[in-house]
Amino acid sequence: MTEIYDLHSHSIASDGALSPTELVKRAHEKGVTVLALTDHDTTNGLAEAQQAAADLGMRLINGIELSASHLNQCLHIVGLNIDPHNPSLSEGIARQQSIRDLRAKQIAEKLEKKKIFGAYQFVTQAAGNGEITRSHFADFLLTHQHVTTQQEAFDRYLSKGKPAFVPTVWASLEETVAWIKAAGGVAVVAHPMRYKLSAKWMNRALAVFKQAGGQGIEVVTGRASLDEIRMSQQFAEKHQLYASAGSDFHAPDNIYLELGRLAAMPVGLKPVWELF
Ligand code: AMP
Ligand code: MN
Ligand code: MN
Ligand code: MN
């Protein structure tokens, strides 16, 4: 049987719109046979997702997407096939979550300086037991008609250099890789083209990542153009990294990021799933 892999997705445990069960069901409907749930800095959706996958006879890879700081830049590191109960990983996650909580308060304070009130209450309620992300702030700004699209919320308030952006020091690249490896997982650089960094910068960062024990890089991602896929392929080849494929699905209303609708993996690359 030919497997259909989608190794990057989100649920309500972070900034996704679907419960883990709904996400797994949707992936199954879209033909995905191996799904990874990779919520931002949390593994809380995994148990429910595993149960839903078992009920449907599909494979769920335990995953996470960790925010990492490297030379003042935030990079996202996906951990695949992790043991969610590993103590080192759990400690790391707890640290990331306290950074997220503090940052959420700081973002809300910055919005108050712009005479926009009530953000903190909104995002804590919207996130529930899940992690608070900037997407929740974008939803707040949209709901209260300060902006007309999510994108505008990022462009006007939440992105780097905008009034409600809070510079955040996450765990280092090396630490995130170490936690993932301690948990028996494979560390993968997420969506390498989305950071808008130069090839020179990325090559240096990838050398550090590889040296720390990182093994993979996303080559096929939801929004990547063929050019971007080609450039990611070159990074994979240059640094001898395994190639991953994931949609980064968040919500059904975004037609560009549907589960399982990915371009083919370029030939010649070593797919990351060889390691599972
Ligand atoms: P955080 O990890 O809290 O900084 O939130 C990052 C999340 O916000 C990403 O995973 C995306 O889901 C979302 N995001 C970031 N930048 C944008 C953007 N320009 N437009 C829409 N969503 C974005
Ligand atoms: Mn997200
Ligand atoms: Mn990401
Ligand atoms: Mn993601």
Side-chain angles (χ1 to χ4, degrees), residues 101 103-112 116-133 136-141 143-144:
D101 290 341
R103 183 182 71 148
K105 292 189 184 100
Q106 293 169 331
I107 293 174
E109 281 166 16
K110 289 203 162 188
L111 286 171
E112 286 179 8
I116 296 174
F117 299 97
Y120 190 70
Q121 199 191 350
F122 181 99
V123 298
T124 46
Q125 201 166 351
N129 292 324
E131 289 311 299
I132 301 172
T133 71
H136 294 100
F137 283 95
D139 287 342
F140 164 78
L141 291 165
T143 303
H144 289 267

Side-chain angles (χ1 to χ4, degrees), residues 8 10 40 65 76 190-191 194-195 248:
H8 188 150
H10 296 272
H40 295 286
E65 182 172 18
H76 284 178
H191 41 68
R194 218 183 288 166
Y195 311 110
D248 203 4

Side-chain angles (χ1 to χ4, degrees), residues 70-244:
H70 183 63
L71 304 175
N72 264 334
Q73 173 67 43
C74 178
L75 299 176
H76 284 178
I77 306 301
V78 161
L80 296 175
N81 220 16
I82 50 166
D83 167 12
H85 305 295
N86 175 268
S88 301
L89 177 62
S90 301
E91 257 178 58
I93 289 172
R95 221 175 91 196
Q96 297 280 92
Q97 293 180 349
S98 60
I99 296 171
R100 277 194 179 277
D101 290 341
L102 176 64
R103 183 182 71 148
K105 292 189 184 100
Q106 293 169 331
I107 293 174
E109 281 166 16
K110 289 203 162 188
L111 286 171
E112 286 179 8
K113 292 204 174 111
K114 291 276 151 197
K115 303 275 183 280
I116 296 174
F117 299 97
Y120 190 70
Q121 199 191 350
F122 181 99
V123 298
T124 46
Q125 201 166 351
N129 292 324
E131 289 311 299
I132 301 172
T133 71
R134 282 184 295 162
S135 300
H136 294 100
F137 283 95
D139 287 342
F140 164 78
L141 291 165
L142 191 56
T143 303
H144 289 267
Q145 297 173 358
H146 298 286
V147 293
T148 54
T149 61
Q150 272 240 354
Q151 185 61 46
E152 190 190 345
F154 279 90
D155 293 346
R156 281 183 52 202
Y157 294 100
L158 300 168
S159 293
K160 200 171 188 169
K162 302 300 171 187
F165 180 79
V166 173
T168 305
V169 182
W170 304 99
S172 70
L173 189 54
E174 291 91 334
E175 282 173 313
T176 57
V177 172
W179 299 338
I180 290 164
K181 290 197 75 77
V186 181
V188 175
V189 173
H191 41 68
M193 304 314 295
R194 218 183 288 166
Y195 311 110
K196 308 285 176 217
L197 296 161
S198 69
K200 187 175 166 185
W201 196 100
M202 275 306 291
N203 277 319
R204 285 186 179 160
L206 289 171
V208 173
F209 171 75
K210 174 98 181 182
Q211 181 68 32
Q215 290 175 281
I217 186 167
E218 286 182 355
V219 172
V220 179
T221 75
R223 281 186 288 190
S225 66
L226 288 177
D227 261 358
E228 290 174 327
I229 291 176
R230 212 166 295 129
M231 285 186 268
S232 306
Q233 175 179 8
Q234 286 169 6
F235 287 135
E237 286 166 351
K238 184 176 171 82
H239 298 276
Q240 301 255 301
L241 293 167
Y242 286 87
S244 189

Side-chain angles (χ1 to χ4, degrees), residues 37-68:
L37 174 59
T38 56
D39 274 306
H40 295 286
D41 299 301
T42 183
T43 54
N44 282 346
L46 294 175
E48 184 187 319
Q50 282 295 357
Q51 184 59 54
D55 292 346
L56 291 166
M58 109 181 223
R59 183 155 180 218
L60 187 102
I61 301 291
N62 286 329
I64 191 166
E65 182 172 18
L66 293 166
S67 300

